[in-house]
Amino acid sequence: MATCPQCRSVGDRGRECPNDNFTFVDDTALATAPDGHLLGQTIGRKFVPMELLGEGGMGYIYKAIQKPVGRAVALKVLKDNFMHDSVIRDRFLREAEAIARMSHRNIVMLFDSGLDEGTGVLYMAMEYLNGRPLADELRQHMSLKRMLDISMGIAAALAEAHKHGIIHRDLKPENVFLVRDELGQEVPKVLDFGFARLQGATKKLTQAGIAFGTPHYMAPEQAMGLEGISAAADVYALGVIMYEMVCGDVPYDGTNAMEIMNKQVNAPLPKVVPKAGLNPPHKFVQLVESCMQKEPEDRLADGSQVLTVLQQIAEGVEQASMNLSAPMLAPQGNANNTKFRQQSSTGGVGAKQMWLLVGGAVAFLLLGILLALVITRL
């Protein structure tokens, strides 16, 4: 059963209520929505929130329907109490701008964004991802191939972002979604560019000395609140994610954010110890360690460089797998020797028999010569 959120009349889900032009929404969705929700209303003249998917500190994420095509989208809206905060409002708009600059298989797609005149909310309409975050998979067994595929997908997304002058600054497993494409292949999608830094942006949204990001995946220069954060910070975060996939845990942990950030800056890199049953190539371990160097200039420069190395590793793993699965063919010489030994042991002509035959032939020849001489004399 579906209900109009405005007048509470009953109707068919997805149909427009004749009383107030709201859209009928499932009762279960209405029951779990907070006060002041947007369910059933039309945002941006074509997006109707039908279900609340999640709530963050600054906004809501809805599953919405795009009219009139009926496409499911993820609708992100800024909470009302932040609409008058210029920094947060500008950061929301900058996230939309960052996503709009890019078009890539491994990055969530933006359909529309803006200020809805009817409700007064800022919104972003993005592709709806039917999958699960990478964070849900990290503690489970993961094959080496899948690990490399996910790493290459994230690196490809970073390569696209860095090419457009965008630094994510909050890359973590919760911001990587694993979905299936039309062929059933797993595709990692990078999302949530809320802390992104855009090259060429004239307005600063962060202050020097203040760290932005998630402590477990924060590069040392981010943890120190330094200015001029480069693409190498995203490389560091990817290194931590790869470390976690290989080892089953993050390299640095603590009881609070400050303790973790202090370790990011000062603690030596823990040894990469793969999970039981996992034997990654040494080059992959070296890549993880390279990405997590303390100094930005000691890491690979950007996502494109990481992707190149990952592709080389994946090709090597695939080639090694093909070599192991290929049939073992004996050299031709060995085959002949084997055949010769088989003949010798199964009644074929052996060395002793060969000498007897040769000796008999020589004796027969000498006898023939002697007989010829006798006949000549006669």
Side-chain angles (χ1 to χ4, degrees):
M1 187 170 68
T3 302
C4 172
Q6 179 71 5
C7 69
R8 297 295 170 174
S9 60
V10 177
D12 295 330
R13 180 187 183 277
R15 288 187 176 275
E16 196 171 274
C17 177
N19 300 328
D20 45 39
N21 296 327
F22 273 60
T23 299
F24 291 108
V25 177
D26 284 336
D27 289 347
T28 52
L30 286 173
T32 57
D35 293 336
H37 63 78
L38 298 172
L39 295 182
Q41 302 183 56
T42 301
I43 308 298
R45 298 185 178 182
K46 53 187 172 184
F47 303 108
V48 181
M50 300 296 290
E51 177 187 351
L52 181 66
L53 296 176
E55 178 182 357
M58 296 181 292
Y60 298 106
I61 297 285
Y62 294 95
K63 182 178 181 180
I65 299 298
Q66 179 181 344
K67 299 189 301 185
V69 296
R71 174 172 59 184
V73 301
L75 190 70
K76 184 175 183 178
V77 300
L78 189 64
K79 288 182 177 179
D80 290 341
N81 53 316
F82 290 110
M83 284 298 296
H84 301 291
D85 187 320
S86 60
V87 173
I88 293 178
R89 189 177 64 246
D90 289 345
R91 184 171 288 127
F92 187 93
L93 294 172
R94 182 167 292 183
E95 178 181 6
E97 180 186 351
I99 302 174
R101 285 189 186 185
M102 302 174 288
S103 178
H104 194 274
R105 167 183 172 86
N106 296 112
I107 297 176
V108 65
M109 184 184 302
L110 180 74
F111 297 134
D112 192 19
S113 65
L115 176 66
D116 178 64
E117 297 178 357
T119 59
V121 299
L122 282 173
Y123 70 91
M124 277 185 278
M126 298 169 285
E127 65 175 314
Y128 175 72
L129 301 178
N130 186 14
R132 60 204 177 282
L134 174 59
D136 292 351
E137 300 290 306
L138 287 176
R139 299 298 184 269
Q140 301 180 23
H141 173 73
M142 190 179 293
S143 69
L144 177 60
K145 182 183 184 308
R146 188 183 183 207
M147 191 181 303
L148 288 170
D149 287 343
I150 291 173
S151 299
M152 285 190 289
I154 300 172
L158 292 181
E160 173 73 7
H162 297 161
K163 181 179 71 175
H164 291 280
I166 299 167
I167 303 167
H168 193 287
R169 298 200 300 182
D170 194 25
L171 183 66
K172 56 185 177 181
E174 289 81 2
N175 288 340
V176 178
F177 229 67
L178 303 176
V179 300
R180 297 280 176 183
D181 64 12
E182 59 276 5
L183 299 177
Q185 299 295 317
E186 187 174 62
V187 180
K189 296 262 191 181
V190 174
L191 56 148
D192 199 344
F193 286 78
F195 285 141
R197 176 175 177 265
L198 276 63
Q199 185 177 12
T202 57
K203 189 173 183 179
K204 287 181 59 178
L205 301 180
T206 57
Q207 298 178 3
I210 298 179
F212 285 88
T214 302
H216 286 108
Y217 304 91
M218 195 181 288
E221 61 270 25
Q222 281 182 278
M224 290 187 288
L226 299 180
E227 292 186 285
I229 299 300
S230 69
D234 288 344
V235 170
Y236 186 94
L238 176 54
V240 176
I241 292 174
M242 292 190 294
Y243 180 101
E244 193 171 2
M245 285 194 289
V246 172
C247 302
D249 204 354
V250 290
Y252 305 112
D253 203 358
T255 57
N256 56 66
M258 289 303 299
E259 181 183 353
I260 299 169
M261 291 162 64
N262 181 61
K263 289 180 178 179
Q264 296 282 22
V265 175
N266 299 306
L269 176 65
K271 186 177 180 181
V272 178
V273 180
K275 293 181 286 190
L278 186 64
N279 186 26
H282 181 61
K283 192 172 182 180
F284 185 67
V285 174
Q286 287 181 315
L287 174 63
V288 174
E289 294 173 343
S290 172
C291 290
M292 293 183 58
Q293 292 299 304
K294 298 295 184 183
E295 299 297 331
E297 57 269 21
D298 293 335
R299 304 172 208 144
L300 295 176
D302 55 27
S304 177
Q305 292 188 7
V306 178
L307 179 60
T308 298
V309 177
L310 282 168
Q311 288 171 336
Q312 293 171 352
I313 295 171
E315 289 171 3
V317 170
E318 183 178 2
Q319 186 61 50
S321 177
M322 291 173 61
N323 292 341
L324 286 174
S325 61
M328 298 296 290
L329 299 177
Q332 187 66 29
N334 290 345
N336 290 338
N337 290 341
T338 302
K339 184 177 180 180
F340 177 77
R341 287 193 298 270
Q342 289 174 341
Q343 289 177 337
S344 300
S345 61
T346 57
V349 181
K352 185 176 181 180
Q353 291 92 333
M354 182 65 73
W355 281 113
L356 290 174
L357 288 173
V358 172
V362 171
F364 183 78
L365 179 60
L366 291 174
L367 180 60
I369 294 172
L370 180 60
L371 183 59
L373 290 173
V374 171
I375 293 173
T376 302
R377 288 182 179 180
L378 292 175

